[in-house]
Amino acid sequence: MVLCQRWTGTDPVAAAARLVAATGVAVLPSLDVTRSLGVGREAWTRFARHWRQLAPDPYAAELGVRRLRRYGQYSFRDGVLRPMPRLAFVQPEDSNPLYVGKDRDFEPLTEVFVADPLLHNVITLLARVAAALDDGVADWNVKVHPFRIRCCGDQDGHPTPEGLHRDGVTLVSSLLIGRRNAIGGETTVCDLRGRPLLATTLAEPGTLMLGDDRRTLHGVSPIRPIDGSGPAQRDVLVITFASAWP
């Protein structure tokens, strides 16, 4: 089942927020995301260039996965995004079992990435969804993770080598930035008993998956090159909102 539709004659973000609150998951199509953000093709093209500056993820490499990423943490309060001091990424104890108890130190977001207005627009949009899940939070803990998965030949690229998991937050989101020469990469979302709620492949750049992380598990299947003479690549932006602070 795919909880994804075009909402005509209404606010698609508000409709998606209601759907996430009711069911635990929703997908906003690229057209609705682009219109809601008020941006055009040039802004998306500029934003996608930041993925060229990602750094190797040594923790994924320990699992045999070639993954690039960076990381930033922010406070979002009264519509204002404020950077937090650089800290190692701490995995909550009730989430991803592979990394519990392991503080991971990732390369920070580049200054030009942080300054990009599209990033701020996306976070502001997501704040509306987070508020629909918990309107009592005045100060959100926002974590920003741009990822790139690459693989070659008969090698699989694993966006989520840990399989189905939680992030230990309130709202988890995944925004597709781009795909190239890739097959696979199906996103699956289940409830906490393992019953499927969503199965879809984010194929069009700008498509946004939204999930209530408190009551769902999510994972992405491996990608592989369509044409074995070149690499497969999948770029996403994962942003989470949490009410708790470490």
Side-chain angles (χ1 to χ4, degrees):
M1 177 171 61
V2 177
L3 299 175
C4 175
Q5 65 183 78
R6 297 186 186 278
W7 291 282
T8 304
T10 188
D11 180 346
V13 177
R18 290 192 296 269
L19 188 57
V20 175
T23 69
V25 64
V27 174
L28 262 174
S30 176
L31 180 62
D32 287 331
V33 172
T34 297
R35 287 177 173 175
S36 298
L37 294 173
V39 298
R41 182 179 300 176
E42 290 183 1
W44 282 115
T45 300
R46 181 196 68 240
F47 195 56
R49 293 193 188 106
H50 300 309
W51 271 252
R52 301 175 185 173
Q53 307 302 320
L54 301 187
D57 180 346
Y59 307 97
E62 293 175 0
L63 302 174
V65 176
R66 185 181 180 187
R67 184 165 70 184
L68 305 173
R69 71 183 298 172
R70 287 183 181 270
Y71 168 64
Q73 184 176 0
Y74 300 87
S75 162
F76 189 83
R77 183 184 181 94
D78 298 329
V80 179
L81 190 68
R82 299 177 177 87
M84 302 303 294
R86 184 181 175 187
L87 299 171
F89 178 68
V90 179
Q91 192 73 39
E93 292 185 359
D94 61 347
S95 58
N96 187 330
L98 276 182
Y99 301 117
V100 168
K102 298 180 181 179
D103 295 353
R104 293 174 288 161
D105 190 15
F106 300 116
E107 290 296 319
L109 301 175
T110 64
E111 292 183 4
V112 66
F113 183 90
V114 173
D116 196 305
L118 184 49
L119 174 64
H120 293 255
N121 290 350
V122 170
I123 290 174
T124 300
L125 182 156
L126 292 173
R128 296 177 57 194
V129 182
L133 299 181
D134 190 341
D135 62 1
V137 180
D139 190 5
W140 287 103
N141 178 356
V142 178
K143 294 183 173 70
V144 179
H145 310 258
F147 288 99
R148 168 171 286 182
I149 299 294
R150 284 174 61 90
C151 61
C152 300
D154 59 358
Q155 175 191 27
D156 286 342
H158 294 269
T160 55
E162 60 271 59
L164 286 170
H165 66 283
R166 294 178 55 239
D167 285 4
V169 296
T170 302
L171 172 69
V172 60
S173 72
S174 182
L175 175 67
L176 181 68
I177 302 301
R179 288 172 61 105
R180 186 172 67 189
N181 190 35
I183 190 171
E186 181 182 63
T187 297
T188 299
V189 181
C190 301
D191 66 16
L192 298 181
R193 296 182 178 178
R195 295 178 296 193
L197 300 175
L198 174 146
T200 187
T201 299
L202 305 182
E204 186 176 359
T207 306
L208 178 63
M209 190 280 291
L210 303 160
D212 183 343
D213 191 62
R214 300 166 300 181
R215 53 194 176 108
T216 59
L217 303 166
H218 62 276
V220 183
S221 68
I223 64 169
R224 180 171 287 190
I226 297 172
D227 180 354
S229 64
Q233 182 170 293
R234 181 178 185 267
D235 293 349
V236 297
L237 176 62
V238 173
I239 298 179
T240 64
F241 277 63
S243 59
W245 289 83

